[in-house]
Amino acid sequence: MTTGRLKESDVIIIGGGLGGTAAALAAAKAGMRVILTEETDWLGGQLTAQAVPPDEHRWIESSGSTASYREFRTRVREYYRRNYPLTEQAKQDPLLNPGNGWVSRLAHEPKVALSVLHEMLAPYVNTGRIEVLYHTVPVHAQTSGDEVTAVTVQHTLKGTEIKLSGRYYLDATECGDLLPLAGVEYRSGAESRQETGEPHALEEADPLDMQSITHVAAVDYLPDGDFTIERPADYDYWRQYVPSFSMYPILSWYASDAEDTSKLKQFTMFPNDEGIVSLWDYRRIVDPAIWSLPLNAGEVTLLNWALNDYYAGPLIGVSPQEREKHLRGARQLTLSLVYWLQTEAPRLDGGKGYPGVRLRGDVLGTEDGLAKSPYIREARRIRGLYTVTEQDVSKELRGEAGPLRYEDSVGVGSYHLDLHPTTVSQRTFYIPNHPYEIPLGSLIPVRVTNLLPACKNISMTQIANGCYRLHPTEWNIGESAGLLASYAIANHILPREVHAAAEHRQAYQQLLLDHGVQLHWTEAELGQA
């Protein structure tokens, strides 16, 4: 319903990334009316506007995620089978990996993910149950006591503002931008070891010490071509920049070894016979080998490498001018990586540069070949009824106790505690994990009653965020938050009361089960962990 510049709905979701999209889909399925905002013109966040294929765990094909997330994955494969001239072998492959990128079991084009998400949302968008507002960001929140009463959003192109009023508000922004506007208590950056007891925490907290961001680019390679771009303005700076944990410039074939981040590992551009790890097929999203007919010149890969992790400064807790400086810096670093690859990157044959590397903006819906938005690994995180820590997930710390089970679990996931170099200390690690669950208490703010986190902004430490930020978990958090708001509305009860009352908690968990949300890992799965 719209009255002048006021729009009303049951659930207002600020941020149309992966968690926000999953939240909108879940709430609409549960009968709610939803308004969903998105800063760009693409829904889907990590999968689309940020151009990051899904990072997942080894059980993902059959377990360890919600049914709707697996439906998304199935629809991606069906999209390729339905629309692309695949070889017979590719058509019949139940585990089709369209790009055959080795970082993901489902490396695929962002535009395909976008099409699939639109298909899944179509029944609700086309009937008006979900209204999507593109190019829109939050600029003000109105509160009364511990309740949010309205959120004002602004159209980034037109400058016009709309007040959104709902029963519940979900923050699914990439940086947790609604939290400070609404006065929600939150953490950012690194906590101290004294506060969390985590072995890998800093001695002193630093709210500005955040994980690096990456502005992804798409490229292909034509061996006989020359697509060298204009020398980036900051190229000389990045060409000489040496991270504190390395003896080599960031633009080199040496980066931290995930198996032991205290050591460096050598990489190279393309697959080879020398046993050096190739980055080209790491995040490859187009592999013509699966086509029965030629469609274009060749493979397409995404530049989301250690070489363009940007940790020169944070986006949160700084002035708008400082934020813009770092957003520009991340773009310049990626453009510098492209130029370095084209002109100076050492080749295994002794030569330098691959001028045939070509930016592919058409793949990402942009003119310059860079993603619509940077990949942001870390947001503001609510202070909630329960905080997930390193001790909850680390395989070493839990020892024989095994994976931690929560009575109030609202989902499951699994991934290493993966911290990319941070903006102040530049620390990085890749800690082995146990499969984990998502506690309901981490979704409920300590004070504000009708705002919920719906992506990587739940109550957890920076270290725990290293695994809870990945695609299946973000989707699960969004879906569970959307259903929590729906349950609260339908039963005239607050989320904190759902958490406190066993009867309501179990009824809500049954709602999750009815929607295909897996609450616990099975003993058989845990036995393989």
Side-chain angles (χ1 to χ4, degrees):
M1 176 181 176
T2 304
T3 307
R5 303 311 297 165
L6 172 69
K7 288 179 178 287
E8 298 177 328
S9 198
D10 297 317
V11 180
I12 307 295
I13 302 173
I14 306 298
L18 204 54
T21 301
L25 183 63
K29 285 180 178 179
M32 298 295 115
R33 295 174 301 120
V34 178
I35 292 175
L36 173 65
T37 73
E38 165 54 29
E39 185 172 0
T40 71
D41 58 347
W42 279 15
L43 295 174
Q46 292 189 59
L47 280 171
T48 58
Q50 298 171 31
V52 182
D55 290 300
E56 299 168 331
H57 53 74
R58 55 184 162 137
W59 299 279
I60 195 64
E61 299 294 349
S62 59
S63 186
S65 74
T66 74
S68 63
Y69 181 78
R70 286 199 300 279
E71 178 189 351
F72 164 80
R73 300 178 84 259
T74 298
R75 282 175 176 258
V76 167
R77 288 175 170 143
E78 289 175 348
Y79 186 97
Y80 279 94
R81 294 189 184 103
R82 192 170 65 245
N83 296 297
Y84 281 61
L86 301 184
T87 64
E88 195 59 34
Q89 181 180 359
K91 285 181 183 177
Q92 300 303 321
D93 184 358
L95 302 180
L96 174 66
N97 187 346
N100 285 316
W102 53 265
V103 74
S104 174
R105 291 172 173 82
L106 195 65
H108 63 284
E109 299 156 85
K111 284 184 176 179
V112 172
L114 182 64
S115 295
V116 169
L117 291 174
H118 281 170
E119 287 179 352
M120 295 177 73
L121 292 169
Y124 311 103
V125 172
N126 294 347
T127 57
R129 185 170 287 184
I130 296 176
E131 180 179 3
V132 183
L133 306 178
Y134 292 101
H135 298 295
T136 304
V137 296
V139 293
H140 177 71
Q142 185 175 319
T143 61
S144 176
D146 296 336
E147 183 180 7
V148 180
T149 56
V151 172
T152 300
V153 295
Q154 184 178 68
H155 195 284
T156 57
L157 303 181
K158 300 176 182 177
T160 54
E161 293 186 353
I162 303 174
K163 180 181 284 190
L164 305 178
S165 177
R167 306 276 294 278
Y168 277 83
Y169 301 83
L170 273 57
D171 184 342
T173 61
E174 297 301 326
C175 291
D177 291 332
L178 186 55
L179 302 183
L181 294 177
V184 177
E185 291 79 4
Y186 67 88
R187 301 177 179 88
S188 65
E191 295 89 353
S192 70
R193 190 174 305 168
Q194 181 178 4
E195 178 185 359
T196 68
E198 296 170 307
H200 287 87
L202 293 177
E203 287 295 335
E204 295 185 12
D206 189 340
L208 297 181
D209 194 20
M210 300 176 191
Q211 280 205 72
S212 46
I213 66 173
T214 304
H215 208 126
V216 179
V219 297
D220 62 7
Y221 178 63
L222 280 64
D224 297 327
D226 186 346
F227 305 98
T228 304
I229 63 173
E230 182 179 347
R231 187 184 184 94
D234 295 354
Y235 181 70
D236 290 340
Y237 173 82
W238 290 116
R239 184 64 187 87
Q240 299 172 25
Y241 178 82
V242 179
S244 62
F245 52 82
S246 178
M247 64 185 72
Y248 300 97
I250 189 171
L251 298 182
S252 74
W253 289 127
Y254 291 88
S256 294
D257 186 348
E259 299 299 322
D260 182 353
T261 54
S262 67
K263 299 179 180 178
L264 297 178
K265 184 174 183 176
Q266 182 181 4
F267 298 89
T268 191
M269 185 70 159
F270 294 113
N272 57 87
D273 297 327
E274 298 184 27
I276 303 175
V277 176
S278 157
L279 288 177
W280 181 261
D281 47 346
Y282 174 52
R283 293 187 182 274
R284 183 176 55 201
I285 57 171
V286 173
D287 182 6
I290 70 170
W291 301 338
S292 60
L293 297 171
L295 295 177
N296 64 15
E299 302 175 354
V300 178
T301 195
L302 296 171
L303 304 184
N304 179 4
W305 302 347
L307 285 66
N308 61 325
D309 272 357
Y310 179 88
Y311 33 89
L315 302 182
I316 297 169
V318 296
S319 68
Q321 294 78 14
E322 186 79 1
R323 175 184 168 89
E324 285 304 313
K325 170 188 171 183
H326 295 311
L327 288 171
R328 176 192 173 278
R331 293 178 62 86
Q332 276 289 306
L333 174 55
T334 295
L335 290 172
S336 295
L337 169 58
V338 172
Y339 186 76
W340 179 78
L341 290 173
Q342 294 170 330
T343 62
E344 293 193 80
R347 303 196 308 257
L348 294 181
D349 64 5
K352 287 187 176 182
Y354 302 88
V357 169
R358 177 174 62 170
L359 283 163
R360 289 290 304 275
D362 58 309
V363 172
L364 303 180
T366 62
E367 293 185 6
D368 60 9
L370 273 62
K372 290 176 178 286
S373 300
Y375 175 34
I376 298 174
R377 296 179 174 87
E378 186 176 321
R380 299 175 181 89
R381 306 177 297 277
I382 69 163
R383 289 187 178 271
L385 300 185
Y386 182 88
T387 300
V388 182
T389 68
E390 179 183 359
Q391 293 92 320
D392 289 18
V393 184
S394 168
K395 181 173 287 190
E396 178 184 359
L397 296 182
R398 290 202 53 77
E400 295 181 1
L404 179 60
R405 291 174 65 95
Y406 304 105
E407 186 179 9
D408 65 341
S409 176
V410 299
V412 299
S414 185
Y415 203 78
H416 281 62
L417 294 123
D418 179 16
L419 205 73
H420 285 237
T422 57
T423 53
V424 179
S425 64
Q426 292 192 4
R427 72 196 199 284
T428 177
F429 41 77
Y430 197 70
I431 304 169
N433 71 293
H434 274 306
Y436 54 80
E437 299 176 353
I438 307 167
L440 173 58
S442 68
L443 271 67
I444 302 175
V446 293
R447 182 183 58 82
V448 178
T449 59
N450 66 334
L451 184 146
L452 299 170
C455 54
K456 50 185 176 289
N457 53 353
I458 63 171
S459 183
M460 59 184 169
T461 63
Q462 180 186 56
I463 295 174
N465 169 76
C467 58
Y468 277 74
R469 64 181 171 82
L470 281 307
H471 302 67
T473 306
E474 183 183 345
W475 181 292
N476 194 148
I477 290 169
E479 186 167 356
S480 296
L483 290 174
L484 178 57
S486 303
Y487 182 88
I489 291 171
N491 291 276
H492 308 286
I493 187 173
L494 295 176
R496 64 182 59 253
E497 295 172 326
V498 176
H499 180 263
E503 177 184 357
H504 280 290
R505 184 178 68 246
Q506 291 164 9
Y508 163 60
Q509 288 177 312
Q510 186 59 53
L511 176 67
L512 294 175
L513 291 170
D514 293 343
H515 281 256
V517 177
Q518 180 179 342
L519 301 184
H520 302 287
W521 289 95
T522 67
E523 293 300 325
E525 291 162 341
L526 295 182
Q528 302 170 27

